[in-house]
Amino acid sequence: MFGLTTRRRLTAEVDAHLTTIRARLDAEHLIVEEIDSHIETIRARRALEDALDKERRTTRLLAEQLLDATGHYPAAARIQLGLPPAGPWERAVEGLNALVDADVLFHIELDGHISNSTGDERIEWDYPTKRWHLVHDDEDDPAPTTVDDHLHADVTADPGGAR
C-alpha cells in the first residue's frame, strides 16, 4: 500500500507540474503572439513612413522640376515647398539659362566677358562702377580708331607742329 499511495502522490505532483508548465507555456505563447503583433505594427509603421518619405521626395522633385520648367522661383513658393529660397547664385544660373532658353549662342571669353556668337553683344565688367553691363556694338558707330589714326589726325590738324 505504501507504493500505491506514493505513486498516486507522485502522479498528482507530476500532473500539477505539467499544469503549471502548460499555463506558463500558454502565457509565454500569448506574450510571443503579442510581441509578434507589435513587431508587425512596427514594420507596417516603418513601411508607411518610408512610403511617405518617398512621396515627399517625389513631390519635392516634381515641384523643383515645375519651377525649373516655368523659370519662376518666387521665394514664397520655394519656402512653401520646403525648398531653400533662391539666392544670388541661383538667380545668376537663371539668367544664363534664360539665354539658353532663348536659343542665344554665347561663350565666356578669357577675360570673363560673356559674348554672343557674333560678338556684337556682350556682358562686361565695368571696373569704375563695379557692376556688370550689357554692351551693344552698333553698326552705325565709326570703326574703332588706333593710335596711328589719332597721330595722323593731330598732324593733319596742326601740320607745323606748334607747341
Side-chain angles (χ1 to χ4, degrees):
M1 206 152 152
F2 177 73
L4 186 58
T5 305
T6 305
R7 186 171 175 198
R8 283 186 188 162
R9 265 193 239 155
L10 287 175
T11 302
E13 284 182 34
V14 169
D15 287 343
H17 283 296
L18 285 175
T19 302
T20 304
I21 289 171
R22 284 189 186 118
R24 284 184 185 165
L25 286 175
D26 287 343
E28 288 176 8
H29 180 70
L30 290 175
I31 291 171
V32 168
E33 284 180 356
E34 188 173 335
I35 290 171
D36 287 345
S37 174
H38 286 296
I39 289 172
E40 287 302 315
T41 302
I42 291 169
R43 284 183 182 151
R45 187 174 295 154
R46 283 184 184 159
L48 179 61
E49 289 172 356
D50 289 346
L52 288 174
D53 279 347
K54 182 178 180 183
E55 192 64 32
R56 280 187 208 109
R57 285 191 310 271
T58 301
T59 301
R60 183 179 171 148
L61 178 64
L62 290 174
E64 285 181 341
Q65 289 174 351
L66 175 63
L67 289 174
D68 286 343
T70 59
H72 299 292
Y73 291 91
R78 293 184 65 81
I79 292 168
Q80 181 72 23
L81 294 168
L83 304 172
W89 286 102
E90 280 119 355
R91 290 194 309 269
V93 169
E94 290 171 24
L96 293 173
N97 283 330
L99 291 173
V100 172
D101 293 342
D103 292 328
V104 175
L105 298 175
F106 67 94
H107 64 277
I108 300 174
E109 298 176 11
L110 293 176
D111 61 1
H113 297 155
I114 301 171
S115 299
N116 67 356
S117 60
T118 60
D120 61 350
E121 282 186 311
R122 63 191 169 280
I123 300 170
E124 290 184 353
W125 178 253
D126 184 27
Y127 287 97
T129 63
K130 296 183 180 174
R131 306 290 293 172
W132 289 97
H133 293 282
L134 179 61
V135 177
H136 297 276
D137 288 340
D138 294 330
E139 292 180 12
D140 297 338
D141 285 348
T145 58
T146 65
V147 173
D148 290 337
D149 293 334
H150 283 287
L151 290 174
H152 179 66
D154 288 343
V155 170
T156 306
D158 187 11
R163 297 182 185 190

